[in-house]
Every structure is written in C-alpha cells, then in structure tokens.
Amino acid sequence: MTSRSNGSFGRNAALVAAVLGWLFDGFEMGLFPLIGGPALKDLLGASATAGDADKWFGAIIAVFLVGAATGGVLFGWLGDSIGRVRAMSLSIFTYAVFTGLCGLATEAWHVAALRFIASLGMGGEWSLGVALVNELWPGKSRAVTAGLIGAAANVGFLLVALLSLGLGGVIDSARGLLLGLGLSEATVAHLLANSAWRLLMISGALPALLIFLIRMGVPESEKWQAESDRGATSHWLKADLVGVLVGAAAALAIVWAWSPAGLTGGPAAAVTAIGLVVAVAGYLHPVRRYLVRAEAAGTLAAGSSPHVVARMLFGASLAGVTLLGTWGSIQWIPRWAIQLGGTAAPHAKEYAQIATALGAIVATYLTAIVADRLGRRPTYALLCLATVAAALWLYQGHDAFGPSFLLAAFLTGGASGSFYGIFPLYFPELFPTAVRATGQGFAFNFGRIIAAIGGLQTAALMGYFDGSFPKAGSVLVAIYLVGAAIVWLGPETKGRPLPE
C-alpha cells in the first residue's frame, strides 16, 4: 500500500500549499509599493513633507528585505529541526498575521516593525515549501513543480497590478459589503480612507487559512522523517540561533548607516563592509555548529562542513546577482512608464507591471523545463545574457510609452523573472536533506540584504545618472554578466537525485 507521504493526494496538497503560499507572498510584496504612499500620508499626518514619506518608505522596504533574509535562515533552521510541515505552518502564520496587524498601525514605525516580523515568515516560506515539494515529488516531476512555484509569486504581482487598475471599484464594493456586515459608517470610512490601505493590509491575513490545509492534508517529508529517526535532527541547538540574531543586527546596522538618519561616505562604507562580514558569519553560525556536531556523532560524513558552507555561499551569489539586478534595474520599469506615459497614459505604470508580470509567469515556468533538459549552469548563464539583451533593448530602444514598450517590458520581465523558476529546481540539489531548508533559505534570501542597501541609495543612483531611468537601468543591468561567470564555479546537478 502506498504511504500517505508518497500518495498523490499528499504530494498534490503539498504543491498547492507551496504555490498558494508563494502566490500570497508575491501579492503582499507587491501590495506595499501600491499602498505605502497613502499609508504613510495617513500615519505621518498633514505636517509631514514628501521627503519624510520617501525616507520612511525606503526604510520600511529595507527593513522588510533584511527580515526576509533573516527569516530564510531562521525558519529554514526550524524546518530542518522540527520538520518541514510544522515550520511552514509557523512561517505562513507569521507573515499573514503580522501583515494583517499593519492595518491597525497608528505610527509609521509600527508598520516598519510589523513588516519586519511578517517578512521573517515570508523569507522562510519559500525554502520550506521548496524543500517539502522536492522531497515529496519524484525527480522526473521536479522541473514542473519548480516552474509552478516560481511562477506563483509573479501571479501575485499580476494581481496587485490588476487591483491597482480597479481599486476604485474594489473600494466601492468593499464599502457596501462592510456596511452590510453591520459596521458603522465611521468604522467603514476609517478602513477605506487613503486608498483603503488599512483594509488591504488586514486582508493580508487571509493566507493564514493555508495553515488548515497544511495541517490537514500535507504529509511530512519521508526524507526528513528518516533523518529524524536516525537522530540527525537532534544536533540542531536553539543556542546557535544567537548567530542569526547577531547577523540580523549587523544587517540592520547597514540599513541604518545608509538611511537619511545614519552616516555618509567612508563611515557608511566601513559599517557596510564590517556588517556584511558579521551578517554572513552570523547567518552561517547555526549550520556550521550543526555540521561540527553531526560529523562528530557520525550522522554526517567527515569533511562535509566546508562543502556545505561553500555551496551556501555559491547559491547566495547566484540569487544575489538576480536580486541586485531586479532592484537596481528591472524594478524601475513601472516608474519609467509613468514618466513616458504622462497624462496621455494615466495607467502606464499598471500596464507596465502587468506586462512584466505576464512575461515572468510564462518564462519562469518554461525556464524550469529548459533547465531540466539543458542543465542548470548553461540555463542560468543564458538567462543572464538574455536579461542584459532584453533590458538594453527596453532602455535604449524606447523613448515613448506604447505597444513596443510593453513588448520589451514583457520580454525583460520574462528574462529577469525566469531565474525564480530555476532556483526551486537547482538549490534543493545543492544540499543534503539534513540541512536543505537552512541551506537554500540562506542561499535564496541573503542577497536581499544587498538589495536593501541598494534600495536605500536609489535617489543617489538616479542623481548620479542625471535622473535618467534608461542610463541607470542600462548600466546596472550589467550585474547579470557577473552571474554568467559565477555560475560555472558551482556543480552541474542535471539528472542527479537529491543528495541524501
């Protein structure tokens, strides 16, 4: 008789949970840029300047990215320690509830603190879902599942763009529904004021319903259970998590150094250099201590520690390139569309985001299939070159908003977004079962710290390029050429089973 863990129902339930979890992640990540402006206008009051709101907006985004990087390690540790399913339940609960609580905030710093905690869960959900699905589904199906998981977040971004287009209608419908539920006029007006940012944040708690699906229908990974049965999971110790706290503190110190209230020039660069070293060491600490104990106990082969740590750093480099490219170049496409569209195209931003999201959805799914046939390293390198070519055509070949611009945005969004189809396939193949969730959690998320630093310097970068989106985007997209070289330093895992 087929075990529950290997049965089609359990596998499908795990895939649905992972896909929906990452879809809601993408929706929530795209939601704050949509409603952050109105929210800060509400919270800071009429006396606040536009500059004050921009500073808070950048700080909240940066804190969110650091939280996601921290959560990737923290919840990855939990997934390797107590099991994929329980840890994924906790991660979804964390990001859903604390996102919802943002709707009750009365100060800007409340939003920053709550989104930091929410992002811990968001950073962990990806690594846990990917680990669970890869361990439950057979090898021949993993390319398809990787493509679905990778595309899910971009579906979330697409939904945000559609919401932005129809926000007025959504608010009107919500008003009637809330009044019909018996809420007072004053309460409804409070929830729907300033683009209904409070209601939209509260609605972010809906993914908590996924927890019931996970607990009822998703089986634990038999691979992880086998590790637990032989005592391998007992070498994870809570005391080692102090390293994660130190790493998070160092990353937040970097954010502070580049914030408007922090340092400038050389001192900020010094804090960044020291902070990155401390953050890397801190985030790696739980894994390194685990490996030492597991090797001493004989549950892990001697000499595994340098091998695992090297692969964590390798994976973080690959993901870091794509995150830097996204935040340093691709993220500017909707904002540039506003500039090009002007009053003649009032919804240029939304249409640009729809185009990039649709391109990413299609390309992400296809990329996983291609990588399964062509190989992980060649596919990644080709994607880097394709992203550079598409972005250069977009930025250098267009000076007006129109169909050609949207086609270029579709191709650029597809090329840059397709990396998120190869990571769910490649990263699980880099790590043994005992450290898979923690290893790929670090690899996928650590680059967010670099992205946070870059995000805080967006204004300075634009000033350096005379406020030109095409100049800045064209120069910064060159980071993908670094990725095309780095990928050859790692192993090719095509056709190999997951490491035990």
Side-chain angles (χ1 to χ4, degrees):
M1 181 176 179
T2 303
S3 70
R4 187 180 181 221
S5 173
N6 290 326
S8 60
F9 176 82
R11 291 198 303 269
N12 290 333
L15 179 60
V16 169
V19 167
L20 289 179
W22 196 229
L23 186 153
F24 282 117
D25 278 0
F27 182 83
E28 204 284 331
M29 282 187 284
L31 183 62
F32 186 76
L34 171 64
I35 63 175
L40 290 171
K41 179 181 177 181
D42 184 10
L43 294 171
L44 294 175
S47 62
T49 65
D52 292 333
D54 289 343
K55 292 174 183 177
W56 272 106
F57 188 88
I60 291 172
I61 291 291
V63 166
F64 176 86
L65 291 169
V66 171
T70 304
V73 178
L74 175 62
F75 280 97
W77 180 92
L78 278 173
D80 286 329
S81 177
I82 67 173
R84 315 311 196 202
V85 175
R86 282 190 289 174
M88 188 160 65
S89 298
L90 290 171
S91 71
I92 292 174
F93 178 84
T94 299
Y95 91 71
V97 170
F98 284 91
T99 294
L101 288 174
C102 287
L104 306 179
T106 58
E107 300 284 347
W109 71 266
H110 294 171
V111 176
L114 291 169
R115 276 181 63 77
F116 176 80
I117 300 173
S119 65
L120 294 174
M122 192 171 297
E125 194 278 331
W126 184 90
S127 63
L128 295 165
V130 168
L132 181 63
V133 170
N134 274 272
E135 290 169 1
L136 289 179
W137 281 77
K140 62 182 180 181
S141 302
R142 288 194 293 108
V144 174
T145 60
L148 290 172
I149 292 172
N154 293 298
V155 174
F157 282 113
L158 175 62
L159 292 176
V160 170
L162 296 174
L163 172 64
S164 181
L165 278 175
L167 186 59
V170 171
I171 292 175
D172 289 339
S173 299
R175 178 178 287 106
L177 176 62
L178 294 173
L179 289 173
L181 292 174
L183 274 67
S184 68
E185 288 279 1
T187 300
V188 172
H190 181 65
L191 289 173
L192 300 183
N194 293 290
S195 301
W197 74 269
R198 291 185 182 277
L199 179 65
L200 291 173
M201 277 294 190
I202 292 171
S203 69
L206 291 177
L209 296 175
L210 273 177
I211 296 173
F212 296 102
L213 170 65
I214 293 171
R215 299 306 297 173
M216 290 189 298
V218 179
E220 185 54 82
S221 160
E222 285 189 343
K223 290 180 178 292
W224 178 86
Q225 193 62 59
E227 292 295 306
S228 178
D229 291 343
R230 72 186 187 93
T233 60
S234 64
H235 305 305
W236 295 102
L237 297 183
K238 295 177 183 178
D240 295 338
L241 291 179
V242 68
V244 180
L245 295 177
V246 172
L252 289 173
I254 297 173
V255 171
W256 168 81
W258 289 107
S259 70
L263 307 172
T264 57
V271 170
T272 300
I274 296 171
L276 282 175
V277 172
V278 174
V280 170
Y283 287 137
L284 289 177
H285 180 72
V287 174
R288 297 180 70 175
R289 295 306 304 159
Y290 168 84
L291 292 170
V292 168
R293 287 188 288 265
E295 288 181 25
T299 57
L300 202 65
S304 296
S305 183
H307 176 74
V308 171
V309 171
R311 290 196 170 187
M312 291 174 72
L313 295 173
F314 167 70
S317 299
L318 297 186
V321 164
T322 62
L323 286 163
L324 276 171
T326 298
W327 285 87
S329 179
I330 310 305
Q331 67 158 346
W332 291 348
I333 294 175
R335 295 169 61 189
W336 187 37
I338 296 174
Q339 187 181 93
L340 293 179
T343 56
H347 296 297
K349 174 184 177 182
E350 287 80 6
Y351 288 129
Q353 184 165 330
I354 289 171
T356 56
L358 286 174
I361 292 169
V362 174
T364 299
Y365 180 79
L366 294 178
T367 292
I369 308 299
V370 172
D372 203 43
R373 295 177 179 272
L374 189 61
R376 286 39 166 169
R377 295 185 301 178
T379 301
Y380 182 94
L382 288 174
L383 291 177
C384 288
L385 299 178
T387 302
V388 172
L392 288 178
W393 179 50
L394 172 69
Y395 284 122
Q396 297 300 314
H398 296 84
D399 56 10
F401 180 81
S404 179
F405 177 93
L406 291 176
L407 175 60
F410 175 88
L411 294 176
T412 305
S416 61
S418 58
F419 293 96
Y420 303 102
I422 195 172
F423 291 152
L425 181 65
Y426 191 25
F427 283 177
E429 298 168 342
L430 296 177
F431 306 103
T433 301
V435 296
R436 181 167 294 125
T438 310
Q440 65 187 23
F442 174 89
F444 184 75
N445 288 291
F446 189 79
R448 296 180 191 271
I449 294 176
I450 309 298
I453 299 170
L456 285 170
Q457 300 184 76
T458 297
L461 287 170
M462 289 301 294
Y464 181 81
F465 292 110
D466 302 319
S468 170
F469 287 109
K471 288 180 181 178
S474 298
V475 170
L476 295 177
V477 78
I479 187 65
Y480 288 101
L481 298 179
V482 177
I486 289 176
V487 71
W488 301 104
L489 300 177
E492 177 55 66
T493 56
K494 174 190 172 185
R496 300 180 187 177
L498 289 178
E500 295 296 336

